[in-house]
């Protein structure tokens, strides 16, 4: 009887530990496809959703802050190497106020780059879904909308292009 009780308690402990480990895993790793989302595009605040993504193209989500030096540097590097992203849809997402996003949009002349969509996440969905800890945070999905790679903080253009 003692062995059965001990075995039962050990089983419950194992289940508890496994459940805790799974809970700590970020949502984007538990569900590795592009999530449903609704964000508001620059410059006109029109809604942009998963259904608006271009079909059969990889997509790169970059969660950024307009006042973040690392985000500004990453944006400059991407724009300097934009030809390497000609077949990639880039979605730059910020949760900061519209005015800050628009200033960034205009400063980097994002309208010149048809493969880039900049938008505001008013519901703070992306930082929670991706468990963002550093900015910029970049998440690359393949043309079938399956997660390929996640980057936290500064990342080289070569690392980004090789993940595509």
């Amino acid at each position: 009887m003692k062995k059965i009780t001990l075995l039962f308690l050990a089983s419950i402990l194992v289940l508890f530990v496994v459940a805790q480990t799974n809970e700590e895993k970020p949502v984007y790793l538990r569900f590795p496809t592009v999530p449903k989302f609704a964000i508001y595009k620059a410059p006109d605040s029109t809604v942009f959703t998963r259904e608006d993504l271009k079909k059969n193209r990889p997509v790169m989500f970059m969660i950024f802050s307009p006042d973040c030096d690392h985000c500004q540097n990453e944006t400059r590097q991407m724009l300097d190497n934009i030809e390497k992203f000609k077949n990639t849809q880039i979605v730059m997402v910020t949760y900061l106020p519209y005015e800050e996003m628009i200033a960034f949009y205009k400063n980097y002349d994002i309208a010149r780059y048809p493969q880039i969509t900049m938008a505001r996440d008013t519901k703070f969905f992306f930082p929670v879904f991706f468990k963002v800890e550093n900015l910029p945070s970049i998440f690359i999905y393949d043309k079938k909308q399956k997660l390929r790679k996640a980057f936290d903080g500064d990342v080289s253009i070569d690392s980004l292009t090789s993940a595509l």
Side-chain angles (χ1 to χ4, degrees):
M1 185 68 173
K2 281 184 178 180
K3 287 183 180 180
I4 292 174
T5 303
L6 190 57
L7 182 62
F8 177 73
L9 291 174
S11 298
I12 289 184
L13 181 62
V14 167
L15 288 173
F16 180 75
V17 169
V18 169
Q20 290 299 317
T21 303
N22 194 32
E23 287 296 319
E24 292 173 8
K25 198 174 191 184
V27 179
Y28 77 95
L29 291 176
R30 287 187 277 150
F31 303 99
T33 58
V34 173
K36 287 186 178 185
F37 62 87
I39 51 181
Y40 301 91
K41 291 188 337 181
D44 58 6
S45 291
T46 56
V47 176
F48 185 81
T49 68
R50 177 175 72 180
E51 289 72 31
D52 294 313
L53 294 172
K54 293 183 172 69
K55 305 295 181 225
N56 297 314
R57 272 206 186 167
V59 62
M60 178 170 66
F61 290 100
M62 177 178 162
I63 292 76
F64 77 103
S65 170
D67 61 356
C68 162
D69 290 337
H70 297 279
C71 301
Q72 293 168 12
N73 184 50
E74 195 73 45
T75 301
R76 278 191 295 276
Q77 286 183 48
M78 283 184 353
L79 297 179
D80 288 346
N81 293 279
I82 198 67
E83 72 283 349
K84 294 180 180 182
F85 300 100
K86 66 183 175 193
N87 295 319
T88 303
Q89 184 167 11
I90 301 169
V91 181
M92 297 178 69
V93 181
T94 185
Y95 47 85
L96 290 178
Y98 175 81
E99 295 77 23
E100 292 180 42
M101 176 186 70
I102 288 300
F104 191 95
Y105 181 83
K106 289 177 179 177
N107 186 45
Y108 289 95
D109 202 12
I110 299 299
R112 285 186 39 216
Y113 307 97
Q115 69 268 52
I116 300 177
T117 300
M118 184 175 288
R120 185 162 178 254
D121 178 7
T122 60
K123 296 179 182 162
F124 206 72
F125 171 78
F126 280 83
V128 173
F129 181 82
F130 289 115
K131 198 174 180 182
V132 171
E133 294 178 358
N134 293 301
L135 294 175
S137 287
I138 299 175
F139 303 88
I140 296 177
Y141 289 83
D142 66 18
K143 63 184 181 179
K144 294 181 180 177
Q145 297 192 346
K146 302 286 184 197
L147 181 67
R148 296 236 343 151
K149 189 81 173 166
F151 298 96
D152 192 27
D154 293 329
V155 60
S156 72
I157 295 301
D158 290 338
S159 295
L160 290 176
T161 56
S162 67
L164 293 167

